[in-house]
Amino acid sequence: MSSWPLAVVTLAALAMPPLSFAQSAPNPDDPSVIMPDDLPPGATPDMPMPEIPSPPGDQGPMVRPAPDQDPEAPPEAFGGPLTGDEQAAEEAPAADTPSEEAQAPEGESEAERIDRLFAELKRTADQREAQRIAGRIERSWRNSGSATVDLLMRRAAQAIGHKQGAVALDVLDQALVLDPDFTEAWNRRATAHFGLGDLGKSLADIEQVLAREPRHWGAMMGLALILERTGREAQALTAYQEVLNVYPALKSAQDAVGRLSEKLTGPEI
């Protein structure tokens, strides 16, 4: 696992003081606050939050940031769902490809499984195969182990997809009260802040993501995008290169490295 100093360096470079994430204890009498419970597996609590209709083809938590003025924002910034042929490729392994269960060593832990998948991702040049491996890693990231947190994450994903950033932030704050170490909640909150144009808070949440999982290519892509938009193109290039060190077949990162390398050093002769 490579080290990741860029998030800390970026906050200093942008002259943004570190933000405090201390939160007061939730009030059990407040109906808007979701408290931990002893739900049986698969059960979901009743929650007083606004109903958000799911759009056709809703893919769940790993959503794109809200679109804005930048038409070249890569869909992998902060993590994004696969769609169309890519989704089918991710969900349906090739007939001549052994199942993941068949490939897994006996007694392999979840941490060992993730490390193995990242090693496979780094070796894979084929984009379809890389998408399948990345999808398995993302599914593991989305699993909080809590029915309540998982439900909050789904509601936050719907809110972000409908550009209801304030609603998403409220829900994600509750998820982080329940599980402050859930990496994907920090990543989703970075997405929500990004969609609202609050790049400083988005960077602070990206720092939290990368402190917990330095290989999170979605957060790394979000960091690179913010650096590029704020005129720090050399730092953005380094961030995109770090993405390729983890996920070499990610085309949007490949394209960004080529674009910024040409811009910063001039076209090759």
Side-chain angles (χ1 to χ4, degrees), residues 16 26 49 120 123 143 185 207 214 250:
M16 294 175 181
M49 60 177 62
E120 292 176 10
R123 290 193 303 266
N143 181 19
E207 182 179 4
L250 189 59

Side-chain angles (χ1 to χ4, degrees), residues 63 155 184-185 209 233 259:
V63 300
R155 293 298 180 93
E184 203 51 42
V209 175
E233 293 175 336
R259 183 184 70 251

Side-chain angles (χ1 to χ4, degrees), residues 91-116:
E91 291 180 347
D96 58 350
T97 301
S99 68
E100 185 184 358
E101 291 76 12
Q103 298 177 44
E106 185 177 355
E108 183 181 50
S109 69
E110 179 63 13
E112 290 169 338
R113 172 179 171 273
I114 294 298
D115 287 343
R116 174 172 58 80

Side-chain angles (χ1 to χ4, degrees), residues 131-215:
Q131 287 165 1
R132 283 192 286 268
I133 297 168
R136 293 168 188 156
I137 295 171
E138 287 181 335
R139 283 195 293 273
S140 178
W141 284 343
R142 290 195 295 262
N143 181 19
S144 72
S146 162
T148 304
V149 173
D150 287 347
L151 179 57
L152 289 168
M153 294 296 290
R154 288 194 294 272
R155 293 298 180 93
Q158 292 176 334
I160 294 173
H162 287 80
K163 303 182 181 65
Q164 296 177 327
V167 173
L169 288 174
D170 286 344
V171 175
L172 290 166
D173 285 344
Q174 293 187 43
L176 285 168
V177 167
L178 296 178
D179 189 352
D181 287 325
F182 185 35
T183 302
E184 203 51 42
W186 290 104
N187 183 54
R188 194 57 39 72
R189 203 171 77 166
T191 308
H193 283 308
F194 179 88
L196 291 171
D198 197 335
L199 302 187
K201 289 183 178 180
S202 184
L203 280 170
D205 283 353
I206 289 171
E207 182 179 4
Q208 295 286 337
V209 175
L210 295 175
R212 291 165 172 79
E213 176 49 271
R215 302 167 295 186

Side-chain angles (χ1 to χ4, degrees), residues 118-133 244 246-251 254:
F118 268 110
E120 292 176 10
L121 186 65
K122 189 166 185 174
R123 290 193 303 266
T124 301
D126 180 77
Q127 289 187 1
R128 280 182 173 266
E129 177 61 20
Q131 287 165 1
R132 283 192 286 268
I133 297 168
L244 292 179
V246 171
Y247 190 163
L250 189 59
K251 188 176 186 303
Q254 295 171 352

